[in-house]
Amino acid sequence: MDQIQHKFVEVQGLKLHVAEIGSGPHVVVFLHGFPEIWYSWRYQMVAVAEAGFRALAPDFRGYGLSDPPLEPEKASFGDLIKDLAALLDALGIDKVFLVAKDFGVFPAYFFTLLHQERVQGIVTLGIPYRPPSHPVKYHEHLPEGFYISRWQEPGRAEADFGRLDAKTVVRNVYILFSRSEIPIAAENQEIMDIVDPSTPLPPWFTEGDLEEYGSLYRKSGFHTALQVPYRSFKEDLGITDVIIKVPALLVMGEKDYVLKFPGIEEYIRSGKVKEFVPQLEIVFSPEGTHFIQEQSPDEVNQLILDFLEKHV
């Protein structure tokens, strides 16, 4: 990973940290989820660079080494979309491939809807596209202890996370999110308490990896991360044309807990999602979890490279 370069780019009054490798004419921008930062794409960045592409992976505002917004409680998906456009402008990049996972798929899809002429194709991991006009209210079908419901409650996750150091919070979320069941706490239990302290890390995630994440979240904290995504899902971006008109690939792990969200698996397997993403290709990975790009990097690298080569 030593060959990955790092720089800061001024975007909308904030300095965003950007990891970069490669120098090809075609650019691939990787957008992370939670509790991740640029580092979650380390394997994919090297792979696409070796295949002749230029790879960029920013830390979203308030994540990792990027500056936090002045008012984290007002951060929004709209900010992330504008940041991405401004970042590409600052770097003189006209058109990109987008690769995103977890909540990173939302700014990726919304950027594509708003700036279709700037996107050659889009790859998403773990979460299918749902148009802004068709929001899903999962909390209405899941118990009160559903982790998203808990984290949307102002102050509750802050108090829960605040009992632990940043490294332990990341450790617990990685363990929870790598399981095939939706994280749901009991009525008298907080989300962090679901994980027994003796539970080992997933075999593909090392103590060194955890230290990398822990050090970056020690710097940024979780204030912005709880606002975006968890408290920003109801944001109205004013998008009227909700059809994704560029080539797209969705990679889902069969053991990803997101498949247990009410209606999600049927929405994907029935092909309903293709009504909104007509050029969508769907791949299911039998052993894949929510962190499939770190768990099975060779498999994901090949899927991404095949997609890129098909659409350059």
Side-chain angles (χ1 to χ4, degrees), residues 115-157:
H115 304 283
Q116 216 127 229
E117 75 286 352
R118 302 192 74 169
V119 180
Q120 286 179 266
I122 180 170
V123 179
T124 56
L125 313 181
I127 296 181
Y129 173 65
R130 297 295 303 225
S133 55
H134 293 67
V136 179
K137 300 173 182 175
Y138 300 116
H139 63 279
E140 294 180 358
H141 307 282
L142 291 166
E144 171 274 336
F146 176 42
Y147 77 98
I148 291 179
S149 298
R150 289 289 185 85
W151 290 352
Q152 286 178 335
E153 196 177 316
R156 185 156 190 170

Side-chain angles (χ1 to χ4, degrees), residues 170-201:
V170 174
R171 174 188 175 277
N172 287 355
V173 178
Y174 254 80
I175 289 170
L176 282 175
F177 283 11
S178 63
R179 294 172 176 170
S180 58
E181 298 299 324
I182 299 172
I184 296 174
E187 196 172 327
N188 60 347
Q189 182 185 46
E190 296 301 324
I191 298 298
M192 289 294 100
D193 297 328
I194 300 174
V195 180
D196 187 293
S198 65
T199 306
L201 288 168

Side-chain angles (χ1 to χ4, degrees), residues 28 32 35 51 64 74-75 79 87 99 135-136 141 150 153 157 204 208 215 222 232 240 245 247 249 254 261 282:
V28 185
H32 65 79
K74 293 183 180 177
D79 291 333
L87 176 64
V99 181
V136 179
H141 307 282
R150 289 289 185 85
E153 196 177 316
W204 40 265
S215 66
F222 296 96
S232 301
T240 53
K245 300 185 179 80
L249 170 66
E254 298 268 13
F261 279 29
I282 303 169

Side-chain angles (χ1 to χ4, degrees), residues 156-309:
R156 185 156 190 170
E158 287 85 344
D160 187 15
F161 292 4
R163 300 174 295 149
L164 308 167
D165 60 38
K167 184 175 171 180
T168 304
V169 172
V170 174
R171 174 188 175 277
N172 287 355
V173 178
Y174 254 80
I175 289 170
L176 282 175
F177 283 11
S178 63
R179 294 172 176 170
S180 58
E181 298 299 324
I182 299 172
I184 296 174
E187 196 172 327
N188 60 347
Q189 182 185 46
E190 296 301 324
I191 298 298
M192 289 294 100
D193 297 328
I194 300 174
V195 180
D196 187 293
S198 65
T199 306
L201 288 168
W204 40 265
F205 193 71
T206 69
E207 287 291 339
D209 295 331
L210 178 59
E211 181 54 45
E212 188 76 27
Y213 282 100
S215 66
L216 290 166
Y217 274 97
R218 273 195 294 275
K219 189 262 179 195
S220 67
F222 296 96
H223 199 163
T224 308
L226 288 166
Q227 175 63 27
V228 182
Y230 298 105
R231 297 166 189 168
S232 301
F233 285 130
K234 294 179 181 176
E235 184 181 344
D236 183 0
L237 295 166
I239 296 171
T240 53
D241 184 354
V242 299
I243 305 299
I244 300 288
K245 300 185 179 80
V246 302
L249 170 66
L250 170 65
V251 181
M252 291 295 305
E254 298 268 13
K255 296 183 178 178
D256 188 334
Y257 73 91
V258 172
L259 276 182
K260 300 277 177 67
F261 279 29
I264 277 286
E265 186 164 11
E266 182 188 359
Y267 175 68
I268 299 170
R269 291 195 190 275
S270 69
K272 176 80 173 171
V273 62
K274 293 186 180 183
E275 293 180 15
F276 305 107
V277 193
Q279 298 179 64
L280 180 65
E281 178 187 353
I282 303 169
V283 174
F284 280 91
S285 173
E287 298 300 316
T289 67
H290 194 60
F291 299 106
I292 188 172
Q293 89 282 15
E294 294 181 275
Q295 172 200 6
S296 305
D298 292 344
E299 177 186 3
V300 172
N301 292 352
Q302 195 58 56
L303 288 168
I304 291 172
L305 289 172
D306 288 347
F307 178 85
L308 296 176
E309 295 293 351

